[in-house]
Amino acid sequence: MDTQKDKLLAKAERLNVYRHGPVAYLKKSVTALLFENWVNVLMICFPLAIHMEENHGDPSNIFFCSLLAIAPFAERLSFVTEQLALHTSEVLGGMLNATFGNVTELIVSLFALKYGMLRIVQCSLLGSILSNLMLVLGCAFFAGGIVTKQQKFSAPASSVNYSLLVLGASSSLLPCAIDANPSEGAPPGSGLVVSRVLSCMMLVVYVCYVTFQLVTHTFLYEDDDDDDEEAGEGEEEEEEEAVLGVAGSVFWLAVITVVISILSEYMVDSLEAAAVGWGVPDLFLGTIIIPIVGNAAEHAAAIIFAVKNKMELALGIAVGSSIQIGVFCVPLLCVFAWSIDIELSLNFGVFECLTYLITALVVGAIITSGQSNWLQGVVLITGYAFVSAAFFVHADPPELASHAEHHHE
Protein backbone atom coordinates (compact mmCIF):
# COMPACT_ATOMS: atom_id res chain seq x y z
CA MET A 1 0.00 0.00 0.00
CA ASP A 2 2.82 2.39 0.92
CA THR A 3 4.61 1.58 -2.32
CA GLN A 4 1.48 2.38 -4.34
CA LYS A 5 1.01 5.62 -2.40
CA ASP A 6 4.64 6.59 -2.99
CA LYS A 7 4.21 5.96 -6.73
CA LEU A 8 1.10 8.17 -6.84
CA LEU A 9 2.88 10.94 -4.93
CA ALA A 10 5.90 10.67 -7.24
CA LYS A 11 3.64 10.86 -10.29
CA ALA A 12 1.82 13.91 -8.89
CA GLU A 13 5.18 15.58 -8.25
CA ARG A 14 6.37 14.76 -11.77
CA LEU A 15 3.20 16.25 -13.30
CA ASN A 16 3.51 19.48 -11.30
CA VAL A 17 5.21 21.64 -13.93
CA TYR A 18 5.10 24.82 -11.81
CA ARG A 19 7.07 23.48 -8.85
CA HIS A 20 10.22 25.49 -9.71
CA GLY A 21 8.41 28.78 -10.31
CA PRO A 22 6.94 30.59 -13.35
CA VAL A 23 10.29 31.74 -14.84
CA ALA A 24 11.74 28.23 -14.82
CA TYR A 25 8.48 26.87 -16.28
CA LEU A 26 8.47 29.43 -19.10
CA LYS A 27 12.11 28.78 -19.97
CA LYS A 28 11.71 25.01 -19.92
CA SER A 29 8.47 24.99 -21.94
CA VAL A 30 9.77 27.33 -24.68
CA THR A 31 13.00 25.33 -24.92
CA ALA A 32 11.10 22.05 -25.20
CA LEU A 33 8.71 23.46 -27.81
CA LEU A 34 11.17 25.25 -30.08
CA PHE A 35 14.74 24.10 -29.55
CA GLU A 36 14.77 20.36 -28.86
CA ASN A 37 13.87 19.06 -32.32
CA TRP A 38 15.91 19.63 -35.48
CA VAL A 39 12.74 19.55 -37.64
CA ASN A 40 11.80 22.91 -36.06
CA VAL A 41 14.32 24.54 -38.40
CA LEU A 42 11.61 24.24 -41.08
CA MET A 43 9.44 26.68 -39.09
CA ILE A 44 11.38 29.43 -40.85
CA CYS A 45 9.29 28.55 -43.91
CA PHE A 46 6.18 29.93 -42.14
CA PRO A 47 7.17 33.63 -42.33
CA LEU A 48 8.53 33.00 -45.84
CA ALA A 49 5.13 31.65 -46.92
CA ILE A 50 3.38 34.68 -45.37
CA HIS A 51 5.79 37.06 -47.13
CA MET A 52 5.27 35.42 -50.54
CA GLU A 53 1.50 35.28 -50.10
CA GLU A 54 1.28 38.96 -49.14
CA ASN A 55 3.49 39.92 -52.11
CA HIS A 56 1.68 37.66 -54.60
CA GLY A 57 4.67 35.37 -55.10
CA ASP A 58 4.91 32.26 -57.25
CA PRO A 59 2.15 29.81 -56.17
CA SER A 60 4.57 26.86 -56.52
CA ASN A 61 6.93 28.44 -53.99
CA ILE A 62 4.05 29.33 -51.65
CA PHE A 63 2.81 25.74 -51.78
CA PHE A 64 6.31 24.34 -51.20
CA CYS A 65 7.04 26.63 -48.23
CA SER A 66 3.61 25.98 -46.69
CA LEU A 67 4.09 22.23 -47.12
CA LEU A 68 7.52 22.31 -45.44
CA ALA A 69 6.31 24.57 -42.62
CA ILE A 70 3.33 22.33 -41.80
CA ALA A 71 5.64 19.37 -40.97
CA PRO A 72 7.26 20.85 -37.82
CA PHE A 73 4.00 22.41 -36.59
CA ALA A 74 2.19 19.06 -37.04
CA GLU A 75 5.01 17.39 -35.09
CA ARG A 76 4.81 19.99 -32.32
CA LEU A 77 1.04 19.51 -32.23
CA SER A 78 1.72 15.84 -31.55
CA PHE A 79 4.20 16.76 -28.79
CA VAL A 80 1.71 19.13 -27.11
CA THR A 81 -1.04 16.48 -27.37
CA GLU A 82 1.25 13.95 -25.68
CA GLN A 83 1.89 16.48 -22.91
CA LEU A 84 -1.86 16.85 -22.42
CA ALA A 85 -2.27 13.05 -22.55
CA LEU A 86 0.08 12.69 -19.54
CA HIS A 87 -2.77 14.04 -17.42
CA THR A 88 -5.30 11.49 -18.78
CA SER A 89 -5.62 7.71 -19.06
CA GLU A 90 -3.56 5.75 -21.62
CA VAL A 91 -6.60 5.02 -23.81
CA LEU A 92 -7.91 8.61 -23.74
CA GLY A 93 -4.37 9.81 -24.41
CA GLY A 94 -4.17 7.59 -27.48
CA MET A 95 -7.49 8.97 -28.72
CA LEU A 96 -6.27 12.54 -28.17
CA ASN A 97 -3.16 11.71 -30.21
CA ALA A 98 -5.26 10.29 -33.04
CA THR A 99 -7.67 13.25 -32.94
CA PHE A 100 -5.12 16.05 -33.04
CA GLY A 101 -3.00 14.03 -35.45
CA ASN A 102 -5.88 14.49 -37.92
CA VAL A 103 -6.23 18.24 -37.36
CA THR A 104 -4.01 19.06 -40.35
CA GLU A 105 -6.05 16.95 -42.79
CA LEU A 106 -9.34 18.25 -41.39
CA ILE A 107 -8.29 21.90 -41.70
CA VAL A 108 -6.96 21.34 -45.24
CA SER A 109 -10.31 19.73 -46.13
CA LEU A 110 -12.32 22.62 -44.67
CA PHE A 111 -10.39 25.16 -46.75
CA ALA A 112 -10.70 22.97 -49.84
CA LEU A 113 -14.45 22.84 -49.17
CA LYS A 114 -14.47 26.64 -48.85
CA TYR A 115 -12.83 26.95 -52.28
CA GLY A 116 -15.20 24.38 -53.82
CA MET A 117 -12.39 21.85 -54.42
CA LEU A 118 -14.49 18.80 -53.58
CA ARG A 119 -12.10 16.29 -55.13
CA ILE A 120 -9.23 17.59 -52.99
CA VAL A 121 -11.45 17.21 -49.90
CA GLN A 122 -12.17 13.60 -50.79
CA CYS A 123 -8.67 12.68 -51.90
CA SER A 124 -6.80 14.36 -49.02
CA LEU A 125 -8.90 12.43 -46.49
CA LEU A 126 -8.59 9.18 -48.45
CA GLY A 127 -4.86 9.81 -48.79
CA SER A 128 -4.53 10.21 -45.04
CA ILE A 129 -6.30 6.88 -44.47
CA LEU A 130 -4.06 5.11 -47.01
CA SER A 131 -0.93 6.75 -45.60
CA ASN A 132 -1.76 5.72 -42.03
CA LEU A 133 -2.82 2.17 -42.88
CA MET A 134 0.04 1.28 -45.21
CA LEU A 135 2.98 3.67 -44.84
CA VAL A 136 2.79 4.51 -41.12
CA LEU A 137 1.70 1.05 -39.97
CA GLY A 138 4.09 -0.63 -42.40
CA CYS A 139 7.08 1.35 -41.13
CA ALA A 140 6.03 0.65 -37.53
CA PHE A 141 5.81 -3.11 -38.20
CA PHE A 142 9.15 -3.07 -40.03
CA ALA A 143 11.07 -1.05 -37.42
CA GLY A 144 9.49 -2.92 -34.51
CA GLY A 145 10.03 -6.28 -36.22
CA ILE A 146 13.74 -5.62 -36.67
CA VAL A 147 14.12 -5.12 -32.91
CA THR A 148 11.58 -7.76 -31.76
CA LYS A 149 11.08 -10.79 -34.02
CA GLN A 150 7.40 -11.32 -33.21
CA GLN A 151 5.34 -8.49 -31.75
CA LYS A 152 1.95 -9.08 -30.16
CA PHE A 153 -1.13 -6.93 -29.64
CA SER A 154 -4.81 -7.42 -28.83
CA ALA A 155 -6.46 -9.61 -31.48
CA PRO A 156 -10.04 -8.83 -30.25
CA ALA A 157 -9.38 -5.06 -30.48
CA SER A 158 -7.83 -5.53 -33.93
CA SER A 159 -10.90 -7.47 -35.04
CA VAL A 160 -13.12 -4.55 -33.98
CA ASN A 161 -10.84 -2.13 -35.82
CA TYR A 162 -10.96 -4.34 -38.92
CA SER A 163 -14.77 -4.27 -38.99
CA LEU A 164 -14.79 -0.47 -38.69
CA LEU A 165 -12.24 -0.09 -41.49
CA VAL A 166 -14.36 -2.24 -43.81
CA LEU A 167 -17.49 -0.33 -42.76
CA GLY A 168 -15.78 2.95 -43.66
CA ALA A 169 -14.74 1.57 -47.06
CA SER A 170 -18.26 0.22 -47.66
CA SER A 171 -19.78 3.64 -46.96
CA SER A 172 -17.84 4.97 -49.97
CA LEU A 173 -18.33 1.92 -52.17
CA LEU A 174 -22.15 1.89 -51.95
CA PRO A 175 -22.75 5.46 -53.28
CA CYS A 176 -20.10 4.75 -55.92
CA ALA A 177 -21.96 1.62 -57.05
CA ILE A 178 -25.30 3.49 -57.15
CA ASP A 179 -23.82 6.33 -59.26
CA ALA A 180 -22.05 3.87 -61.57
CA ASN A 181 -25.19 1.76 -62.12
CA PRO A 182 -28.25 3.98 -61.59
CA SER A 183 -31.54 2.13 -61.23
CA GLU A 184 -34.21 2.72 -63.82
CA GLY A 185 -36.51 5.50 -62.68
CA ALA A 186 -34.23 6.48 -59.77
CA PRO A 187 -34.17 10.24 -59.08
CA PRO A 188 -30.98 12.12 -59.99
CA GLY A 189 -28.50 12.47 -57.16
CA SER A 190 -29.40 9.14 -55.54
CA GLY A 191 -25.76 8.55 -54.63
CA LEU A 192 -25.63 11.89 -52.83
CA VAL A 193 -28.81 11.10 -50.85
CA VAL A 194 -27.38 7.72 -49.82
CA SER A 195 -24.09 9.41 -48.87
CA ARG A 196 -25.86 11.80 -46.52
CA VAL A 197 -27.94 9.03 -44.91
CA LEU A 198 -24.87 6.82 -44.47
CA SER A 199 -22.90 9.75 -43.02
CA CYS A 200 -25.48 10.30 -40.28
CA MET A 201 -25.43 6.59 -39.47
CA MET A 202 -21.62 6.52 -39.42
CA LEU A 203 -21.48 9.37 -36.92
CA VAL A 204 -23.71 7.33 -34.60
CA VAL A 205 -21.36 4.35 -35.07
CA TYR A 206 -18.39 6.57 -34.17
CA VAL A 207 -20.07 7.60 -30.91
CA CYS A 208 -20.59 3.90 -30.16
CA TYR A 209 -16.92 3.23 -30.99
CA VAL A 210 -15.73 5.95 -28.60
CA THR A 211 -18.01 4.57 -25.86
CA PHE A 212 -16.67 1.06 -26.54
CA GLN A 213 -13.06 2.25 -26.40
CA LEU A 214 -13.26 4.61 -23.44
CA VAL A 215 -16.03 3.14 -21.26
CA THR A 216 -17.10 -0.46 -21.78
CA HIS A 217 -14.01 -2.22 -23.20
CA THR A 218 -10.97 -0.15 -22.23
CA PHE A 219 -9.05 -3.33 -21.31
CA LEU A 220 -8.87 -4.35 -25.00
CA TYR A 221 -6.85 -1.26 -25.90
CA GLU A 222 -4.29 -1.28 -23.08
CA ASP A 223 -0.84 -2.83 -23.19
CA ASP A 224 -0.41 -6.06 -21.23
CA ASP A 225 1.06 -5.57 -17.79
CA ASP A 226 3.18 -8.68 -18.42
CA ASP A 227 4.92 -6.94 -21.32
CA ASP A 228 5.59 -3.91 -19.17
CA GLU A 229 7.09 -6.06 -16.41
CA GLU A 230 9.39 -7.80 -18.90
CA ALA A 231 10.76 -4.41 -19.87
CA GLY A 232 12.08 -4.06 -16.33
CA GLU A 233 11.99 -1.31 -13.79
CA GLY A 234 14.42 0.80 -15.81
CA GLU A 235 11.64 1.52 -18.30
CA GLU A 236 9.88 3.70 -15.73
CA GLU A 237 12.66 6.21 -16.10
CA GLU A 238 11.83 6.54 -19.81
CA GLU A 239 8.38 7.97 -19.08
CA GLU A 240 7.95 11.32 -20.74
CA GLU A 241 8.46 14.29 -18.48
CA ALA A 242 5.61 16.75 -18.02
CA VAL A 243 6.73 20.14 -19.34
CA LEU A 244 3.66 22.17 -20.35
CA GLY A 245 0.89 21.20 -17.93
CA VAL A 246 -2.80 21.20 -18.81
CA ALA A 247 -3.22 24.97 -19.24
CA GLY A 248 -0.01 25.33 -21.24
CA SER A 249 -0.92 22.37 -23.47
CA VAL A 250 -4.37 23.80 -24.25
CA PHE A 251 -2.86 27.23 -25.01
CA TRP A 252 -0.23 25.84 -27.39
CA LEU A 253 -2.77 23.54 -29.04
CA ALA A 254 -4.80 26.64 -29.92
CA VAL A 255 -1.76 28.59 -31.18
CA ILE A 256 -0.40 25.75 -33.33
CA THR A 257 -3.86 24.98 -34.74
CA VAL A 258 -4.18 28.63 -35.88
CA VAL A 259 -0.75 28.45 -37.56
CA ILE A 260 -1.67 25.20 -39.33
CA SER A 261 -4.94 26.83 -40.45
CA ILE A 262 -3.05 29.71 -42.07
CA LEU A 263 -0.61 27.36 -43.80
CA SER A 264 -3.43 25.07 -44.94
CA GLU A 265 -5.26 27.97 -46.58
CA TYR A 266 -2.09 29.01 -48.42
CA MET A 267 -1.46 25.43 -49.49
CA VAL A 268 -4.98 24.78 -50.79
CA ASP A 269 -5.12 28.15 -52.54
CA SER A 270 -1.86 27.47 -54.42
CA LEU A 271 -2.26 23.71 -54.98
CA GLU A 272 -3.64 23.73 -58.52
CA ALA A 273 -1.11 26.30 -59.75
CA ALA A 274 1.72 24.34 -58.10
CA ALA A 275 0.52 21.13 -59.76
CA VAL A 276 0.61 22.82 -63.18
CA GLY A 277 4.02 24.38 -62.47
CA TRP A 278 5.57 21.09 -61.37
CA GLY A 279 3.82 18.96 -63.99
CA VAL A 280 2.29 16.78 -61.28
CA PRO A 281 -1.43 15.83 -61.04
CA ASP A 282 -3.19 17.82 -58.32
CA LEU A 283 -4.84 14.61 -57.09
CA PHE A 284 -1.36 13.13 -56.52
CA LEU A 285 -0.38 16.14 -54.42
CA GLY A 286 -3.65 15.94 -52.47
CA THR A 287 -3.73 12.16 -52.01
CA ILE A 288 -0.05 11.30 -51.51
CA ILE A 289 2.18 14.32 -50.77
CA ILE A 290 0.01 16.36 -48.36
CA PRO A 291 -0.97 13.33 -46.19
CA ILE A 292 2.67 12.17 -45.93
CA VAL A 293 3.69 15.58 -44.60
CA GLY A 294 0.58 15.91 -42.41
CA ASN A 295 1.15 12.43 -40.94
CA ALA A 296 4.88 12.96 -40.30
CA ALA A 297 4.38 13.31 -36.54
CA GLU A 298 2.16 10.22 -36.34
CA HIS A 299 4.67 8.37 -38.50
CA ALA A 300 7.53 9.09 -36.11
CA ALA A 301 5.46 8.36 -32.98
CA ALA A 302 4.18 5.01 -34.30
CA ILE A 303 7.72 3.88 -35.17
CA ILE A 304 9.06 4.91 -31.75
CA PHE A 305 6.29 3.01 -29.94
CA ALA A 306 6.79 -0.06 -32.15
CA VAL A 307 10.54 -0.11 -31.47
CA LYS A 308 9.73 0.01 -27.73
CA ASN A 309 7.32 -2.92 -28.34
CA LYS A 310 4.30 -0.80 -27.32
CA MET A 311 2.18 -2.11 -30.17
CA GLU A 312 -1.22 -1.08 -28.76
CA LEU A 313 -0.08 2.55 -28.88
CA ALA A 314 1.44 2.15 -32.36
CA LEU A 315 -1.79 0.61 -33.71
CA GLY A 316 -3.84 3.23 -31.86
CA ILE A 317 -2.02 5.94 -33.79
CA ALA A 318 -2.00 4.32 -37.26
CA VAL A 319 -5.22 2.29 -37.36
CA GLY A 320 -7.13 4.40 -34.81
CA SER A 321 -6.41 7.55 -36.80
CA SER A 322 -7.65 5.90 -40.03
CA ILE A 323 -10.85 4.78 -38.34
CA GLN A 324 -11.41 8.27 -37.01
CA ILE A 325 -11.05 9.77 -40.48
CA GLY A 326 -13.17 7.14 -42.22
CA VAL A 327 -15.95 6.84 -39.65
CA PHE A 328 -15.98 10.39 -38.26
CA CYS A 329 -14.15 13.06 -40.30
CA VAL A 330 -15.43 12.04 -43.75
CA PRO A 331 -19.10 11.70 -42.66
CA LEU A 332 -18.85 14.89 -40.59
CA LEU A 333 -17.62 16.86 -43.60
CA CYS A 334 -20.37 15.35 -45.76
CA VAL A 335 -23.03 16.44 -43.25
CA PHE A 336 -21.40 19.85 -42.79
CA ALA A 337 -21.31 20.39 -46.57
CA TRP A 338 -24.99 19.37 -46.69
CA SER A 339 -25.77 22.03 -44.07
CA ILE A 340 -24.22 24.75 -46.25
CA ASP A 341 -25.77 23.37 -49.47
CA ILE A 342 -22.62 21.86 -50.98
CA GLU A 343 -22.96 18.48 -52.70
CA LEU A 344 -20.11 16.53 -51.12
CA SER A 345 -20.66 12.81 -51.74
CA LEU A 346 -19.00 9.74 -50.23
CA ASN A 347 -18.49 8.53 -53.80
CA PHE A 348 -14.73 9.00 -54.15
CA GLY A 349 -14.66 7.38 -57.59
CA VAL A 350 -14.36 3.73 -58.64
CA PHE A 351 -10.56 3.64 -58.53
CA GLU A 352 -10.38 5.39 -55.14
CA CYS A 353 -13.14 3.28 -53.54
CA LEU A 354 -11.56 0.01 -54.68
CA THR A 355 -8.17 1.16 -53.41
CA TYR A 356 -9.74 2.02 -50.05
CA LEU A 357 -11.53 -1.35 -49.77
CA ILE A 358 -8.50 -3.43 -50.82
CA THR A 359 -6.32 -1.54 -48.31
CA ALA A 360 -8.83 -2.16 -45.51
CA LEU A 361 -9.00 -5.87 -46.37
CA VAL A 362 -5.22 -6.32 -46.57
CA VAL A 363 -4.56 -4.45 -43.32
CA GLY A 364 -7.42 -6.31 -41.62
CA ALA A 365 -5.99 -9.68 -42.72
CA ILE A 366 -2.67 -8.71 -41.11
CA ILE A 367 -3.83 -7.20 -37.82
CA THR A 368 -6.56 -9.72 -36.87
CA SER A 369 -3.87 -12.31 -36.08
CA GLY A 370 -2.79 -10.19 -33.11
CA GLN A 371 0.90 -10.34 -34.06
CA SER A 372 3.23 -8.74 -36.56
CA ASN A 373 6.75 -9.02 -38.01
CA TRP A 374 9.06 -7.02 -40.24
CA LEU A 375 7.99 -8.79 -43.47
CA GLN A 376 4.39 -7.65 -42.99
CA GLY A 377 5.80 -4.13 -42.71
CA VAL A 378 7.56 -4.58 -46.06
CA VAL A 379 4.29 -5.80 -47.61
CA LEU A 380 2.39 -2.71 -46.42
CA ILE A 381 5.12 -0.26 -47.49
CA THR A 382 5.28 -1.91 -50.94
CA GLY A 383 1.50 -1.69 -51.19
CA TYR A 384 1.71 2.04 -50.51
CA ALA A 385 4.33 2.38 -53.26
CA PHE A 386 1.89 0.63 -55.63
CA VAL A 387 -0.89 3.06 -54.69
CA SER A 388 1.41 6.10 -55.04
CA ALA A 389 2.47 5.03 -58.54
CA ALA A 390 -1.15 4.47 -59.55
CA PHE A 391 -2.26 7.90 -58.27
CA PHE A 392 0.60 9.56 -60.15
CA VAL A 393 -0.93 8.50 -63.48
CA HIS A 394 -4.59 8.46 -62.40
CA ALA A 395 -6.98 11.03 -63.85
CA ASP A 396 -10.59 11.63 -62.87
CA PRO A 397 -13.30 10.25 -65.17
CA PRO A 398 -15.28 13.01 -66.96
CA GLU A 399 -18.34 12.83 -64.68
CA LEU A 400 -16.31 13.35 -61.49
CA ALA A 401 -14.15 16.05 -63.05
CA SER A 402 -17.19 17.97 -64.34
CA HIS A 403 -18.91 17.69 -60.94
CA ALA A 404 -15.84 19.14 -59.23
CA GLU A 405 -15.59 21.95 -61.78
CA HIS A 406 -19.25 22.82 -61.14
CA HIS A 407 -18.43 23.72 -57.54
CA HIS A 408 -14.99 25.22 -58.09
CA GLU A 409 -15.43 28.83 -59.09
Side-chain angles (χ1 to χ4, degrees):
M1 183 69 73
D2 289 339
T3 306
Q4 188 68 18
K5 186 177 179 181
D6 290 342
K7 283 184 179 179
L8 290 173
L9 288 172
K11 183 178 180 180
E13 178 67 18
R14 194 175 72 249
L15 294 178
N16 182 12
V17 295
Y18 309 107
R19 60 185 179 275
H20 300 302
V23 176
Y25 164 75
L26 188 62
K27 181 180 177 182
K28 192 172 184 178
S29 60
V30 171
T31 301
L33 271 167
L34 301 179
F35 302 111
E36 289 188 356
N37 195 319
W38 63 270
V39 181
N40 290 352
V41 172
L42 294 176
M43 287 183 179
I44 192 67
C45 293
F46 176 48
L48 287 176
I50 293 176
H51 174 75
M52 285 188 287
E53 178 68 21
E54 293 299 319
N55 290 279
H56 308 289
D58 182 7
S60 298
N61 293 334
I62 294 172
F63 180 84
F64 184 68
C65 282
S66 301
L67 191 67
L68 288 182
I70 270 186
F73 284 108
E75 192 279 329
R76 289 293 83 187
L77 191 70
S78 176
F79 167 75
V80 174
T81 307
E82 285 169 10
Q83 286 290 309
L84 185 60
L86 290 175
H87 302 269
T88 65
S89 68
E90 184 178 284
V91 179
L92 182 57
M95 183 156 283
L96 281 171
N97 264 311
T99 302
F100 283 100
N102 293 328
V103 162
T104 304
E105 291 84 357
L106 198 54
I107 293 174
V108 167
S109 298
L110 286 171
F111 279 112
L113 199 62
K114 171 187 171 184
Y115 288 110
M117 301 165 70
L118 303 189
R119 288 298 287 154
I120 297 301
V121 175
Q122 294 175 327
C123 289
S124 64
L125 291 172
L126 174 64
S128 187
I129 293 171
L130 300 178
S131 171
N132 276 309
L133 287 180
M134 289 195 282
L135 184 62
V136 176
L137 189 61
C139 288
F141 280 173
F142 179 77
I146 294 295
V147 177
T148 308
K149 285 189 177 180
Q150 197 77 21
Q151 296 184 291
K152 296 182 179 180
F153 42 88
S154 171
S158 297
S159 180
V160 171
N161 291 341
Y162 180 25
S163 63
L164 288 166
L165 288 174
V166 173
L167 186 68
S170 301
S171 70
S172 295
L173 200 59
L174 290 173
C176 177
I178 289 172
D179 286 339
N181 298 285
S183 302
E184 201 173 314
S190 298
L192 179 63
V193 174
V194 170
S195 294
R196 289 168 172 174
V197 172
L198 293 183
S199 293
C200 295
M201 295 168 67
M202 294 281 278
L203 291 175
V204 174
V205 171
Y206 184 74
V207 172
C208 294
Y209 169 61
V210 171
T211 305
F212 181 86
Q213 197 174 30
L214 296 183
V215 181
T216 64
H217 287 70
T218 54
F219 61 92
L220 290 180
Y221 295 88
E222 291 173 351
D223 280 312
D224 274 342
D225 293 335
D226 294 340
D227 294 339
D228 294 339
E229 285 172 13
E230 286 174 14
E233 294 180 2
E235 183 116 348
E236 290 180 9
E237 296 176 4
E238 292 183 14
E239 286 187 23
E240 189 168 353
E241 181 187 4
V243 176
L244 301 179
V246 176
S249 298
V250 172
F251 170 76
W252 285 109
L253 277 176
V255 171
I256 295 172
T257 301
V258 168
V259 172
I260 289 177
S261 299
I262 294 170
L263 290 169
S264 296
E265 182 167 19
Y266 291 170
M267 198 161 58
V268 170
D269 194 30
S270 58
L271 187 146
E272 289 183 337
V276 172
W278 294 348
V280 176
D282 56 353
L283 290 184
F284 178 79
L285 289 180
T287 311
I288 304 297
I289 303 302
I290 291 177
I292 287 178
V293 175
N295 290 334
E298 292 172 307
H299 200 152
I303 291 174
I304 291 168
F305 285 134
V307 169
K308 292 180 178 180
N309 204 24
K310 294 180 176 291
M311 293 307 293
E312 299 298 344
L313 291 173
L315 261 74
I317 291 172
V319 180
S321 181
S322 299
I323 290 172
Q324 191 173 68
I325 294 172
V327 185
F328 176 68
C329 294
V330 173
L332 182 67
L333 280 168
C334 182
V335 172
F336 174 72
W338 183 15
S339 71
I340 56 175
D341 203 26
I342 293 178
E343 297 180 357
L344 179 63
S345 171
L346 296 183
N347 176 9
F348 290 180
V350 176
F351 170 73
E352 289 84 354
C353 289
L354 286 176
T355 302
Y356 186 4
L357 180 62
I358 292 169
T359 300
L361 293 174
V362 170
V363 171
I366 290 175
I367 65 175
T368 47
S369 65
Q371 51 190 8
S372 64
N373 53 60
W374 66 265
L375 182 58
Q376 291 172 327
V378 171
V379 169
L380 290 175
I381 294 169
T382 305
Y384 190 71
F386 288 174
V387 170
S388 300
F391 268 102
F392 188 78
V393 297
H394 173 64
D396 272 339
E399 62 273 12
L400 279 176
S402 62
H403 185 261
E405 296 258 340
H406 175 69
H407 290 276
H408 183 27
E409 298 178 359

